[in-house]
């Protein structure tokens, strides 16, 4: 790391959500982030979604990209020409990559993966610079040391790809450090927890010199598992090389979609996606909220209640007949019920697909 740089800026380019943070070198306690707005929701991260026009030029990123694409802000006759990419980071996992590798957007149109990643990183970098300059006038890009986080289980080829995308986005190699996500988590616990909490560092009280500890990073796309050891000189050493796989939050989302397909049929769920994308994403958003309510070892037999939008109800009626009658004839007759535009799913049935991920 170039110690002459005045600022350190980290870009967390995630599978489902992305964001950034920055700090000055002489003020490492104060870490600044960005707040992203989506109606009444404020978050330190925004969805990893990017919308491009027919000429493959940038239109929007994050919540703005999702809303413009799903809420018919762009006329239907023009929408087919737009490129909408979401959750595309996992395309780098276990794939044979080249600088010419192409990825598909939501409607099947293809584009070079390097260009999509470059446009996204460039947007996050420029937003970070704006935020930094709004706090400290006169700040120059050459004053910034960038850190880009990557999964520990990624192959060198994927890491090289990210470096190329960052360089194309305007971040020179001598300004960039790739940080493994589990290592960043360990360093946070080791170095910063005390300052953030303004209390005693419980991590250092528990992890004594010489002790080994496991770091499990459950992200949106991957689960990274590694083992570190605290050294006598207060540094951290990797004891076991990272392992893991594509078992992050998106795998849980896919398990839910598989359940919905099993319940109502692929033609219904695919029809919802094709005919009413806004309601399709509303279904996924509702699931995102509900899945966070599942807690291990909590004695709670209450059903999970999920709203059915009118478009989904209509598709089920057209393809399967009555909703209640179809459910009663399915294998889920004892664990799923329908009443008043709502599905009542037993907690065990709701949790089981996620628990059985392999």
């Amino acid at each position: 790391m170039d110690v002459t740089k005045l600022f350190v800026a980290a870009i967390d380019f995630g599978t489902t959500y992305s964001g950034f943070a920055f700090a000055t070198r002489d003020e490492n306690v104060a870490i600044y982030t960005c707040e992203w707005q989506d109606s009444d929701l404020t978050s330190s991260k925004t969805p990893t979604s990017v919308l491009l026009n027919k000429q493959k030029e940038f239109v929007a990123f994050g919540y703005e990209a999702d809303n413009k694409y799903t809420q018919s802000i762009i006329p239907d006759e023009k929408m087919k020409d737009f490129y909408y990419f979401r959750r595309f980071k996992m395309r780098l996992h276990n794939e044979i990559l080249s600088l010419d590798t192409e990825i598909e957007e939501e409607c099947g149109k293809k584009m070079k993966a390097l260009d999509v990643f470059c446009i996204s990183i460039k947007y996050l970098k420029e937003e970070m610079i704006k935020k930094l300059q709004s706090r400290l006038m006169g700040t120059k890009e050459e004053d910034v040391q960038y850190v880009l986080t990557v999964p520990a289980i990624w192959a060198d080829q994927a890491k090289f790809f990210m470096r190329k995308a960052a360089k194309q986005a305007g971040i020179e190699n001598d300004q960039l450090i790739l940080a493994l996500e589990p290592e960043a988590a360990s360093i946070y616990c080791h170095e910063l927890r005390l300052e953030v909490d303004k209390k005693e560092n419980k991590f250092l009280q528990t992890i004594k010199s010489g002790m080994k500890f496991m770091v499990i990073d459950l992200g949106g796309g991957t689960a990274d598992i590694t083992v570190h050891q605290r050294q006598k000189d207060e540094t951290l050493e990797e004891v076991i090389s990272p392992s893991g796989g594509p078992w992050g939050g998106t795998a849980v989302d896919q398990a839910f979609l598989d359940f919905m397909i099993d319940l109502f049929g692929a033609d219904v769920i695919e029809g919802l996606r094709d005919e009413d994308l806004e309601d399709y994403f509303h279904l996924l958003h509702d699931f995102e909220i509900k899945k966070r309510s599942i807690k291990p070892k909590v004695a709670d037999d209450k059903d999970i209640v999920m709203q059915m939008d009118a478009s989904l109800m209509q598709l089920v009626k057209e393809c399967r007949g009555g909703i209640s009658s179809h459910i009663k004839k399915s294998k889920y007759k004892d664990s799923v019920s329908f009443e008043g535009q709502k599905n009542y799913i037993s907690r065990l049935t709701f949790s089981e697909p996620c628990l059985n991920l392999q």
Side-chain angles (χ1 to χ4, degrees):
M1 181 181 290
D2 188 345
V3 295
T4 65
K5 302 295 184 185
L6 300 177
F7 307 97
V8 177
I11 297 175
D12 182 10
F13 191 83
T15 300
T16 50
Y17 293 93
S18 295
F20 59 78
F22 60 88
T24 61
R25 284 193 175 278
D26 59 354
E27 193 185 11
N28 59 5
V29 175
I31 300 175
Y32 302 96
T33 60
C34 179
E35 291 187 345
W36 310 86
Q37 297 285 339
D38 180 41
S39 61
D40 59 345
L41 175 67
T42 300
S43 173
S44 60
K45 289 189 177 183
T46 192
T48 307
S49 306
V50 61
L51 182 65
L52 311 176
N53 63 18
K54 184 178 181 179
Q55 290 73 37
K56 301 180 181 179
E57 298 168 334
F58 179 82
V59 174
F61 186 89
Y63 288 117
E64 185 182 3
D66 287 348
N67 293 336
K68 282 188 174 182
Y69 189 78
T70 62
Q71 296 178 7
S72 301
I73 295 175
I74 300 170
D76 290 342
E77 65 272 14
K78 293 184 178 181
M79 182 58 72
K80 66 180 184 298
D81 295 327
F82 278 68
Y83 292 76
Y84 174 60
F85 295 91
R86 64 187 293 269
R87 298 187 172 187
F88 50 88
K89 179 182 172 184
M90 281 299 289
R91 310 292 173 85
L92 301 190
H93 180 71
N94 283 347
E95 286 197 16
I96 299 175
L97 280 176
S98 75
L99 299 183
D100 295 320
T101 296
E102 292 186 325
I103 57 176
E104 288 187 359
E105 52 88 59
E106 290 297 300
C107 291
K109 296 187 293 295
K110 291 185 178 182
M111 184 171 166
K112 279 189 177 181
L114 185 66
D115 293 337
V116 178
F117 278 79
C118 164
I119 290 169
S120 302
I121 293 172
K122 183 179 180 181
Y123 169 80
L124 291 168
K125 183 201 75 166
E126 290 178 348
E127 287 298 304
M128 188 280 302
I129 290 294
K130 288 179 187 176
K131 188 82 171 178
L132 178 56
Q133 290 177 338
S134 71
R135 289 184 173 274
L136 293 166
M137 300 292 291
T139 301
K140 300 177 181 178
E141 285 196 40
E142 52 264 34
D143 296 329
V144 180
Q145 174 71 60
Y146 293 94
V147 179
L148 186 60
T149 59
V150 295
I153 61 172
W154 268 12
D156 289 342
Q157 193 176 29
K159 296 172 186 175
F160 172 76
F161 183 94
M162 289 298 285
R163 276 195 173 275
K164 293 293 290 186
K167 182 175 176 59
Q168 191 168 307
I171 302 176
E172 296 298 328
N173 284 330
D174 61 355
Q175 279 187 280
L176 178 65
I177 294 174
L178 292 186
L180 303 183
E181 290 161 1
E183 290 185 0
S186 284
I187 292 171
Y188 172 81
C189 293
H190 187 272
E191 300 290 343
L192 300 179
R193 188 66 176 271
L194 174 62
E195 303 295 346
V196 172
D197 289 348
K198 302 297 183 183
K199 299 175 183 177
E200 292 185 3
N201 192 326
K202 294 181 180 179
F203 177 84
L204 295 182
Q205 290 179 351
T206 304
I207 308 299
K208 306 295 184 182
S209 177
M211 288 183 65
K212 300 173 185 177
F213 58 95
M214 182 179 293
V215 182
I216 303 176
D217 179 10
L218 301 178
T222 61
D224 291 349
I225 305 169
T226 188
V227 176
H228 293 164
Q229 183 178 39
R230 184 182 172 193
Q231 304 298 300
K232 292 181 179 180
D233 61 359
E234 300 298 315
T235 60
L236 298 172
E237 181 177 307
E238 183 180 272
V239 179
I240 298 178
S241 298
S243 62
W247 311 314
T250 53
V252 178
D253 297 343
Q254 186 58 52
F256 169 70
L257 280 177
D258 291 342
F259 161 73
M260 292 295 289
I261 289 172
D262 198 27
L263 177 61
F264 292 125
D267 53 342
V268 170
I269 303 304
E270 290 172 5
L272 178 67
R273 178 175 175 171
D274 293 340
E275 297 175 21
D276 198 323
L277 193 61
E278 184 175 358
D279 281 357
Y280 175 79
F281 279 112
H282 182 263
L283 175 68
L284 297 182
H285 179 69
D286 191 23
F287 171 71
E288 179 71 24
I289 295 172
K290 295 298 191 301
K291 78 178 182 183
R292 297 183 186 189
S293 71
I294 301 297
K295 306 294 183 183
K297 299 181 181 179
V298 174
D300 187 352
D301 295 329
K302 291 182 179 179
D303 290 341
I304 302 296
V305 182
M306 296 199 66
Q307 182 77 32
M308 285 189 70
D309 290 322
S311 56
L312 177 56
M313 292 172 57
Q314 184 61 34
L315 278 168
V316 175
K317 290 177 182 177
E318 291 175 359
C319 299
R320 305 280 94 85
I323 300 174
S324 294
S325 59
H326 170 70
I327 292 175
K328 289 176 181 177
K329 291 185 291 185
S330 75
K331 67 180 183 181
Y332 296 105
K333 61 183 179 181
D334 296 324
S335 56
V336 179
S337 61
F338 174 77
E339 183 179 346
Q341 298 187 352
K342 295 178 181 178
N343 268 333
Y344 293 82
I345 308 170
S346 74
R347 189 166 290 265
L348 178 60
T349 299
F350 186 85
S351 306
E352 197 169 43
C354 306
L355 298 174
N356 290 337
L357 287 176
Q358 296 181 355

